[in-house]
Amino acid sequence: MTENTPENPSGKAPGPRSPEPSGVDLARVALRAAKDAARARGDAAQQKKQARRGGLRSGARADGRDPMALGSAINRLITERGWEAPAAVGGVMGRWPQIVGEDVAKHCVPERYDEEEHVLSVRCDSTAWATNLRLLAPTLVARLNEDLGHGTVKLIKVQGPGGPARRYGPLRAPGSTGPGDTYG
């Protein structure tokens, strides 16, 4: 059931909306837009001046028409889209052994980062290492926030080892859960 309203003249059901930026993200977007507008005004004035002198010319100085290096283009895209925090956390996942130490990195691996809740999920290969990492979590949060910026990571969610994968094969009894049901 859809309605034709001023906000929805087509009468179609509205699709999922992307989350609107708020707080610091909104300020970053507004600052970026203001800088781009100022840069565009400056470029337009410079082009008018060049047009009066005999047209646009390609010269030795860089302008907006020049090709960009890949790294510069990626950095510009990250800045324009507001992906600074997720990109920084991705860099942390690549530098995990340097941040937590080689010994802990052998047994604990970061799995994912929830940007909305600022939670880093880490999986450990044993319950003993999971307990150890839970004790180290406040120190790691402080170290990560020092590296990434205040409030980027609020919580480290530590998960123990997952159970073994269930395998079904021709030699299994129906309803059997494997060798564990023999001892239980």
Side-chain angles (χ1 to χ4, degrees), residues 1-161:
M1 185 165 95
T2 60
E3 296 179 1
N4 288 335
T5 62
E7 295 81 27
N8 191 3
S10 65
K12 295 180 182 176
R17 291 186 175 188
S18 62
E20 295 293 325
S22 63
V24 176
D25 293 331
L26 185 61
R28 283 186 188 139
V29 169
L31 177 63
R32 195 173 309 119
K35 284 182 178 180
D36 290 343
R39 189 176 302 118
R41 283 192 305 269
D43 289 345
Q46 184 178 9
Q47 286 178 355
K48 284 181 184 178
K49 187 186 289 184
Q50 286 179 349
R52 276 188 249 130
R53 285 188 291 166
L56 293 174
R57 297 183 294 222
S58 178
R61 290 186 174 73
D63 63 5
R65 299 174 293 160
D66 289 342
M68 284 184 135
L70 181 62
S72 300
I74 289 174
N75 288 337
R76 182 173 157 192
L77 179 68
I78 287 171
T79 304
E80 285 176 357
R81 304 289 175 143
W83 295 338
E84 290 94 353
V89 172
V92 164
M93 290 184 178
R95 294 181 289 124
W96 184 251
Q98 290 86 16
I99 293 171
V100 298
E102 293 291 332
D103 198 30
V104 175
K106 288 178 187 175
H107 301 282
C108 304
V109 179
E111 285 192 333
R112 66 184 209 93
Y113 174 70
D114 185 359
E115 186 179 354
E116 292 178 8
E117 297 181 14
H118 303 285
V119 176
L120 179 66
S121 297
V122 179
R123 173 143 338 252
C124 298
D125 62 0
S126 70
T127 55
W129 276 103
T131 303
N132 189 20
L133 194 65
R134 283 185 190 104
L135 294 172
L136 291 173
T139 307
L140 284 177
V141 168
R143 191 179 302 167
L144 289 169
N145 284 330
E146 179 182 309
D147 190 27
L148 301 172
H150 181 69
T152 305
V153 178
K154 293 182 180 175
L155 178 70
I156 294 180
K157 184 177 179 181
V158 181
Q159 300 170 345

